[in-house]
Amino acid sequence: MHKTSSQGTHQIGYLRLLKIILLIGFVCLSIIGTVVSTTTTTYAAGRPGGNVTDPVVRAVDIAEPAVVRIITTVGGHLTVHFSSTSNVTFPQSGSGYPLLLSGSGTFITAHGDILTADHVINPPHDQSLDQFLNHEAASDVATYINQNSKPGSSQATSNQVEQALNNGQLASDHKYDPATSEVYLSTSYTGPLSASDFQSLPDNIHAAVDRIEMESSVNEKDVAIVHVSLNDMPTVQLGDSTNVQQQDELTIIGFPGNGDVSNIPTDLLTSSINKINVSSIKTTDSGAEVIQVGGNVEHGDSGGPALDNTGAVVGIVSFGLSTADSPGGTSFLQASNSAQGLVQSLHLDTTPGAFQKAWDQAFSDYAVSAPGHWHRAQQEFARIAANYPLFKAVAPYLSYAQAQAKNEQVPNSSRTTGTSTGNPVVAYLWPIGAIVIILLLAVLLFGLFFSRRGRKSSASSAPTPAAGQASQGPPSPAAISQQRSGPAEAVKQRLQASP
């Protein structure tokens, strides 16, 4: 009896111990999961480039340095017909009013070839351009009228003159000089600028368009490829616009005029990124395939790229249809396949150059979570900074990668295949968690084994009732006496029974 009681007590104690061990194990695993989650989100806070683990965000970040602002200047001359015998051309100095028009473009080769909309570098001489010239000339026209008016006459204001020019009360003719265009690198390439105005900008961050290589006019496909004397530039690849479907989400990069909140070059050369949705695919009367989109597309975005989720150009911002009641209106992109025809006709080499290959690789290592990626990223960013000193926008990426690399344990490539989170503590947490799970399973298996073995031993030591005999209740003293009869007693009984 004492032996059976000891085994039961031992099993109960063992089961209690097993429950405690399991509870501790689950608490440890919860702590490990919390630490891993906290560490992963902490290192990503304030990360340059935003959520670069998102492939779409990463593709846009890589493409952004290749997008440029294009400022086109047109000299305008306004001839006002005051009477049949009095015609005056403004400005009276002879040189035209410099009408500045802004658009966007994208490097598509490493050798200075830029894709844009044709109307960005060849502004159409339409009503909007005439009204722009009227606005610029109105002050000079008002001054002339006031100087030549009769004494006592009311003075004309520039607003009154502009309105009279626009509605035709003052008859006038408009004449324009050939357009010239200047390309400016964005702060996504140059980094923040110290210049206080455009005239103070360094010569190496902008270049004149030296030739229009090929174009399709605004009345046809509204695409053009221009050239500037810049080499080894960032580039974006042309995609296949036939893959674009309704409800697709695209990303446009450009320089909308409404975003120019100051005249500081850093602000004027900082691009804007907007999401747009594909509403429809259509064809114009001229046979151009266009992509109708909804979203925030503005003047100044014209010529800029519309990127798919891989970062390839599938559209070029072209034109919009708006009314006084609906200034946002509907916007259209020229399909990238229209530009692809120009590229093929020019036999342009769109293979990424040395800069773009280095930038792609460095950013990819920066964005992933493979073991040692921070060390690789910092080394690659450092090489880019050394080889391309004008690419100052790499500085925040380099600084961040260096800071993360200080806390990153570089694993032995021959032994480690796990992921790295940029923290040496986290590198050991998952192996520790796995070991804890294995130990808990081992303890559980041993516990079940010994528990079953203890029950079998207890069952074999208990008395077995005779066949056909009830086992209910405790045995009688006589039965106990009979069970304890030994061999000597049996011999004695046999002798007494013999004749």
Side-chain angles (χ1 to χ4, degrees):
M1 295 294 291
H2 175 73
K3 182 177 180 180
T4 303
S5 176
S6 174
Q7 288 179 346
T9 303
H10 177 73
Q11 290 175 4
I12 293 172
Y14 181 82
L15 290 175
R16 288 179 179 175
L17 179 61
L18 182 60
K19 291 180 180 179
I20 293 173
I21 292 175
L22 288 173
L23 180 60
I24 293 174
F26 284 121
V27 170
C28 291
L29 289 176
S30 299
I31 294 173
I32 290 173
T34 303
V35 171
V36 170
S37 175
T38 303
T39 305
T40 301
T41 55
T42 299
Y43 89 83
R47 190 175 189 174
N51 182 22
V52 295
T53 57
D54 184 331
V56 176
V57 174
R58 182 165 64 250
V60 173
D61 285 341
I62 292 174
E64 198 173 2
V67 181
V68 297
R69 186 163 198 170
I70 302 175
I71 304 294
T72 296
T73 303
V74 178
H77 306 266
L78 179 68
T79 299
V80 181
H81 306 292
F82 293 105
S83 67
S84 59
T85 58
S86 177
N87 302 309
V88 180
T89 299
F90 300 90
Q92 292 180 290
S93 61
S95 60
Y97 292 104
L99 308 178
L100 302 181
L101 305 163
S102 176
S104 308
T106 312
F107 281 107
I108 56 172
T109 77
H111 314 296
D113 299 297
I114 297 172
L115 174 64
T116 187
D118 185 66
H119 75 267
V120 170
I121 45 98
N122 277 324
H125 299 173
D126 55 11
Q127 183 180 11
S128 63
L129 189 62
D130 290 346
Q131 291 178 349
F132 189 9
L133 177 55
N134 291 343
H135 175 78
E136 294 298 305
S139 179
D140 289 342
V141 175
T143 299
Y144 178 86
I145 292 174
N146 293 331
Q147 289 175 347
N148 293 277
S149 62
K150 295 178 180 180
S153 300
S154 60
Q155 297 291 296
T157 65
S158 59
N159 288 337
Q160 291 172 336
V161 170
E162 182 178 354
Q163 184 176 1
L165 290 169
N166 288 338
N167 61 27
Q169 288 180 338
L170 271 178
S172 59
D173 294 324
H174 303 77
K175 182 180 178 181
Y176 301 99
D177 297 331
T180 59
S181 299
E182 192 83 6
V183 171
Y184 294 84
L185 301 179
S186 77
T187 55
S188 295
Y189 188 90
T190 65
L193 301 166
S194 59
S196 59
D197 53 53
F198 262 46
Q199 288 69 34
S200 304
L201 287 173
D203 293 336
N204 57 0
I205 71 166
H206 61 96
V209 171
D210 51 33
R211 65 179 182 271
I212 298 175
E213 297 192 293
M214 188 170 283
E215 61 186 320
S216 177
S217 72
V218 66
N219 295 324
E220 295 179 355
K221 297 182 178 180
D222 192 27
V223 291
I225 297 176
V226 301
H227 182 270
V228 293
S229 295
L230 295 172
N231 288 309
D232 201 4
M233 301 307 296
T235 59
V236 181
Q237 296 296 299
L238 285 176
D240 186 355
S241 54
T242 60
N243 293 328
V244 177
Q245 302 293 328
Q246 284 181 313
Q247 302 185 57
D248 282 356
E249 185 177 68
L250 306 178
T251 304
I252 60 171
I253 307 176
F255 299 86
N258 289 339
D260 295 338
V261 296
S262 76
N263 292 321
I264 300 173
T266 290
D267 292 332
L268 294 175
L269 297 179
T270 296
S271 58
S272 296
I273 298 174
N274 286 301
K275 298 292 184 181
I276 56 176
N277 297 301
V278 176
S279 304
S280 183
I281 311 295
K282 297 183 177 180
T283 303
T284 65
D285 291 336
S286 63
E289 184 181 80
V290 294
I291 304 170
Q292 180 183 336
V293 297
N296 189 22
V297 183
E298 302 178 23
H299 292 291
D301 288 326
S302 295
L307 308 177
D308 63 12
N309 56 11
T310 68
V313 179
V314 292
I316 302 96
V317 179
S318 180
F319 65 96
L321 302 177
S322 61
T323 64
D325 298 330
S326 179
T330 301
S331 299
F332 292 88
L333 315 174
Q334 295 294 334
S336 62
N337 285 4
S338 296
Q340 193 71 261
L342 303 185
V343 171
Q344 293 172 353
S345 298
L346 292 168
H347 304 290
L348 294 179
D349 181 9
T350 59
T351 304
F355 170 85
Q356 189 61 41
K357 291 178 181 178
W359 174 236
D360 277 338
Q361 184 60 54
F363 205 97
S364 296
D365 284 332
Y366 171 79
V368 300
S369 58
H373 76 104
W374 289 120
H375 282 77
R376 290 194 299 274
Q378 72 159 349
Q379 292 168 0
E380 290 157 353
F381 284 143
R383 281 196 293 270
I384 292 175
N387 295 333
Y388 301 93
L390 186 59
F391 184 45
K392 291 183 170 47
V394 74
Y397 295 100
L398 174 58
S399 297
Y400 191 84
Q402 288 173 333
Q404 295 300 320
K406 291 179 181 179
N407 298 322
E408 179 185 45
Q409 181 183 11
V410 180
N412 185 333
S413 59
S414 63
R415 292 185 295 121
T416 305
T417 58
T419 58
S420 170
T421 60
N423 190 316
V425 175
V426 180
Y428 293 102
L429 289 179
W430 286 117
I432 292 173
I435 292 172
V436 170
I437 292 174
I438 293 172
L439 290 176
L440 290 176
L441 290 174
V443 171
L444 182 61
L445 290 174
F446 277 113
L448 292 174
F449 173 75
F450 285 112
S451 177
R452 290 182 178 179
R453 185 175 180 182
R455 285 197 297 268
K456 289 181 179 180
S457 176
S458 175
S460 63
S461 62
T464 302
Q469 182 181 6
S471 60
Q472 296 178 359
S476 63
I480 294 175
S481 176
Q482 291 177 1
Q483 288 175 358
R484 290 182 178 177
S485 296
E489 186 68 22
V491 171
K492 183 179 178 181
Q493 291 176 357
R494 288 176 184 175
L495 289 176
Q496 291 176 351
S498 61

